Amino acid sequence: ITEMKKAFLPLAAILAFFVTGCSNEPDFKLTDLHVHLKGTLTFDDAVAKSKAENIDYGIAVNCGIGFPIHSDSQIDSVIATFKDYPQFYMAMQAEGREWVNTFSKESIDKFDYVFTDVMTFTDEKGRRNRIWMKDETWIDDEQQFMDYMVNTLVNILNNEPIDIYVNSTFLPEQLADRYDFFWTPERMDKVINAALANNIAIEINNRYQIPSEIFIKRAKKAGVKFTIGTNNADENFAGAEYAISMIKKCGLKESDFWLPEKKNRN
């Protein structure tokens, strides 16, 4: 029996190591910096959900023309809603390209961090594209559309005062099924280099499952920092499965992720 125990112990150790090594859970605390109070989700619901899933949250407020928050005079009341919830980061989601002229630097600086995407832009013919809606996306030539969108994104990264590029590498419905065809290495590198040059983190998005593994590995090699985000449409979201899978596949460490600092809310 003693000999059997001796033989079993190394086997048990090997199995334990194998199970631990194959765990899908990263060895650091996750933070989803792109959560919205949408659908029936309230602050208190977000507290419970964050605790249950052991994921910290950043709550984002949509700010821009055509959105509920569209002027400096509204910002203080928004900040006040966070005062009883110090566990959450406060985010400004900057909407459209007009936001830089809509809000003062003083108002923008009241948030812990600011993010935007390239899902709203005006094309060379003056048409306002909102590329998450098929009937508001104007594509005359697919390759020209991609080049214009990527160049617009690079301009955003170079000139807009943001901390994170979110919904990263999102494509409209007409192009989404050919992601790898349109996101060429050259286009990836334009975005990655602009993000790196301006110290802008790139979001790994759980809802849309983007960017691709190839993009993430390329950005990691360049030295870009990442964040995790969901951009939930309502209360029905859970965990961070895509981000966790990319953390494992791309060998991401805690040091590869960016986190904001919380500002005084008094």
Side-chain angles (χ1 to χ4, degrees):
I1 293 172
T2 304
E3 291 302 317
M4 286 178 65
K5 282 183 177 179
K6 287 180 179 177
F8 178 74
L9 285 172
L11 178 61
I14 290 168
L15 286 171
F17 176 80
F18 182 77
V19 170
T20 303
C22 290
S23 170
N24 284 327
E25 294 301 316
D27 60 0
F28 55 92
K29 184 76 173 286
L30 301 183
T31 303
D32 186 330
L33 288 174
H34 195 167
V35 174
H36 291 291
L37 299 182
K38 291 184 176 179
T40 63
L41 190 73
T42 65
F43 271 113
D44 290 332
D45 294 332
V47 170
K49 196 175 186 71
S50 173
K51 285 181 179 178
E53 297 182 358
N54 194 33
I55 298 175
D56 290 338
Y57 287 169
I59 305 294
V61 180
N62 300 86
C63 300
I65 301 298
F67 290 87
I69 307 304
H70 51 262
S71 70
D72 278 349
S73 63
Q74 298 170 291
I75 298 300
D76 284 342
S77 61
V78 170
I79 301 300
T81 65
F82 281 85
K83 286 186 178 178
D84 293 332
Y85 301 94
Q87 62 269 64
F88 296 132
Y89 293 98
M90 297 185 301
M92 169 186 268
Q93 177 160 359
E95 300 285 359
R97 309 280 53 89
E98 310 90 352
W99 77 276
V100 291
N101 298 314
T102 303
F103 301 99
S104 66
K105 185 178 185 301
E106 181 184 15
S107 289
I108 294 167
D109 286 347
K110 289 178 180 179
F111 291 89
D112 297 330
Y113 59 107
V114 181
F115 62 70
T116 197
D117 52 39
V118 70
M119 292 173 77
T120 302
F121 63 89
T122 301
D123 66 20
E124 68 276 15
K125 293 184 178 179
R127 300 172 298 194
R128 186 175 178 84
N129 283 257
R130 297 200 290 174
I131 66 172
W132 69 96
M133 292 186 284
K134 189 175 182 179
D135 61 352
E136 293 193 32
T137 304
W138 311 94
I139 303 176
D140 301 324
D141 177 282
E142 292 179 339
Q143 294 296 341
Q144 287 179 7
F145 176 89
M146 276 299 300
D147 286 338
Y148 190 91
M149 186 181 74
V150 169
N151 289 337
T152 300
L153 173 55
V154 169
N155 188 57
I156 290 168
L157 297 173
N158 284 334
N159 295 291
E160 295 187 12
I162 61 170
D163 301 296
I164 312 169
Y165 161 42
V166 302
N167 300 317
S168 45
T169 71
F170 181 90
L171 292 178
E173 182 182 335
Q174 300 95 311
L175 311 182
D177 62 345
R178 291 167 288 159
Y179 181 101
D180 291 329
F181 175 71
F182 290 112
W183 276 110
T184 62
E186 293 77 17
R187 287 174 177 146
M188 290 184 192
D189 287 346
K190 278 189 175 183
V191 174
I192 289 166
N193 292 338
L196 185 66
N198 294 285
N199 296 313
I200 295 169
I202 293 177
E203 177 185 80
I204 301 174
N205 187 279
N206 296 308
R207 175 180 174 185
Y208 298 121
Q209 299 190 5
I210 47 177
S212 66
E213 180 181 342
I214 294 170
F215 184 102
I216 293 170
K217 286 181 175 176
R218 207 172 184 92
K220 179 183 185 295
K221 186 176 180 181
V224 170
K225 297 289 187 182
F226 300 96
T227 62
I228 295 168
T230 295
N231 187 18
N232 57 301
D234 52 34
E235 70 281 5
N236 297 310
F237 68 102
E241 288 185 13
Y242 184 71
I244 290 170
S245 70
M246 287 300 106
I247 287 168
K248 186 171 183 180
K249 288 180 180 179
C250 302
L252 301 179
K253 309 295 183 187
E254 187 171 13
S255 57
D256 291 311
F257 287 86
W258 177 84
L259 280 177
E261 291 184 11
K262 291 178 181 173
K263 295 182 179 174
N264 190 342
R265 304 180 190 185
N266 296 323

